[in-house]
Amino acid sequence: MGTPKNLAILGATGSIGSSTLDIVRRFPERYTIRSLTAGRNIERLALQIEEFRPALAVVQEEAGRDRLRSLLPGDLDIELLWGEDGLAAAAALPEVDMVVTGVVGAVGLMPTLAAIDAGKPIALANKETLVMAGEVVMARAAAAGVPILPVDSEHSAIFQCIGQHPRQEVDRLFLTASGGPFRTLAADRFDTIRPEDALKHPNWSMGAKITIDSATLMNKGLEFIEARHLFDMAPEKIQVLVHPQSIVHSMVGFVDGSVLAQLGIPDMKGPIAYALAYPDRLPLGLDYPDFTALANLTFEPPDLKRFPCLALAMDACAQGGTLPAVLNAANEIAVNAFLQRRIGFPDIYRVIASTMTRHGHQSRPNVEQIREADRLARTMAGEEIQKCNA
Ligand code: MG
């Protein structure tokens, strides 16, 4: 096994970060922590620092950095930074062997690029990075010879099914979706949905933003774009299937008509561990699905009328350019406004759709143009939110 792998965990206090640290705790001979980053959960980060002893920790704001310092023992040997530059430093730290990108949203893009430029393999949980800048990120990773290992459970499933099969034998991706908590809700009831209803996911335990994205099916839309880039697959060769049992995590169709699926209970420790240990498998001790207790595994097409966010994302994927970044930015702003009860559930779609309509589309953008489109879209989405309440 050799020396332990040194990890940087971006978004250490979130759902992915905490599950990653659970794995590190169980396999201390395989993993050590070199850098941890968090947004605003300073108290939890302080506890993680005392347990895992990273060389560097990063938080979102300067005041948070000062508060973190006050919570740590005075004699602790650690560097503390804040902001976007700090995130990039955490990702590019010289002794780091792999970067886990567990942050949520557009904030993941720049540190992922910093990790690629520093030659660090990436365990990618931040799907927004590929949604915003999939072409740029994949091209830069390929040029640098940096592997990007998917942590998103669907993409991990596809990655596992493809295995060593050559690209030209892979014909189709079947992306499964649980359907979220409103899979069977009548269309005329959607305007009654409150944040606490949407935060109850039937199968997966995740952070607030991705749980709302799962309820609108935007999460599957973002994953559609993510799959398009990760596996270099044309959008018309990616099929979304609603599979409420969440046992089949996704499937791959090959040129001979054969389909391989990856199955397991819904637990993010599986895909995280697969990315961390690849090509090994860790003895996680997770239960197998109880096949005799499962009455059936069902698959149905998504209802794009009741879940129009998925259609928006598929359209953004087909058009490409800056449009996926605009979709993503407007979605982040709209989800936040819904969580703060400033707009209703169906308004999430309206805000994103009208922001996309107003956006001046740019094909083949560079990173700076993508970031500018992201900034403009956030402003426009804010204006659209005002109109919802006018
Ligand atoms: Mg997923």
Side-chain angles (χ1 to χ4, degrees), residues 39-271:
R40 293 200 174 87
N41 199 341
I42 308 297
E43 284 71 20
R44 186 157 188 187
L45 181 63
L47 292 173
Q48 292 176 341
I49 289 169
E50 292 209 53
E51 181 178 358
F52 293 99
R53 302 292 167 135
L56 169 64
V58 180
V59 297
Q60 195 169 333
E61 289 160 353
E62 191 172 14
R65 192 265 318 262
D66 297 342
R67 165 133 181 80
L68 179 60
R69 181 167 287 144
S70 75
L71 292 174
L72 294 173
D75 58 349
L76 197 68
D77 183 21
I78 184 169
E79 188 181 0
L80 303 180
L81 297 173
W82 61 277
E84 195 172 68
D85 292 344
L87 272 179
L93 203 63
E95 55 270 38
V96 162
D97 299 314
M98 174 175 257
V99 179
V100 180
T101 63
V103 292
V104 177
V107 68
L109 175 59
M110 296 315 279
T112 304
L113 288 172
I116 292 170
D117 292 343
K120 313 292 189 190
I122 293 163
L124 184 111
N126 175 258
K127 62 192 80 184
E128 292 89 346
T129 289
L130 290 184
V131 171
M132 291 175 73
E135 273 155 34
V136 173
V137 169
M138 293 308 289
R140 216 191 271 196
V146 168
I148 296 188
L149 301 157
V151 169
D152 213 341
S153 61
E154 295 79 0
H155 305 74
S156 177
I158 291 167
F159 182 66
Q160 293 180 53
C161 293
I162 292 177
Q164 298 305 313
H165 293 279
R167 173 64 187 80
Q168 66 269 21
E169 292 180 0
V170 179
D171 179 59
R172 195 161 298 244
L173 307 180
F174 299 96
L175 201 58
T176 54
S178 71
F182 312 124
R183 183 174 59 88
T184 58
L185 189 73
D188 62 357
R189 304 284 300 153
F190 274 63
D191 58 356
T192 68
I193 294 170
R194 300 161 303 169
E196 53 269 34
D197 307 319
L199 286 171
K200 285 183 206 139
H201 194 279
N203 302 339
W204 291 96
S205 154
M206 305 173 290
K209 194 256 178 184
I210 185 172
T211 305
I212 302 301
D213 285 346
S214 297
T216 61
L217 290 203
M218 180 57 93
N219 183 52
K220 210 50 51 180
L222 301 179
E223 291 180 351
F224 187 97
I225 303 171
E226 182 186 12
R228 188 253 178 287
H229 294 295
L230 264 179
F231 305 109
D232 185 27
M233 186 62 62
E236 61 273 18
K237 295 269 191 175
I238 307 173
Q239 184 178 355
V240 174
L241 293 170
V242 174
H243 167 52
Q245 298 83 16
S246 295
I247 295 295
V248 175
H249 297 321
S250 276
M251 302 182 274
V252 174
F254 292 88
V255 288
D256 60 357
S258 185
V259 177
L260 293 185
Q262 189 263 342
L263 285 69
I265 59 162
D267 186 318
M268 283 308 295
K269 283 204 278 298

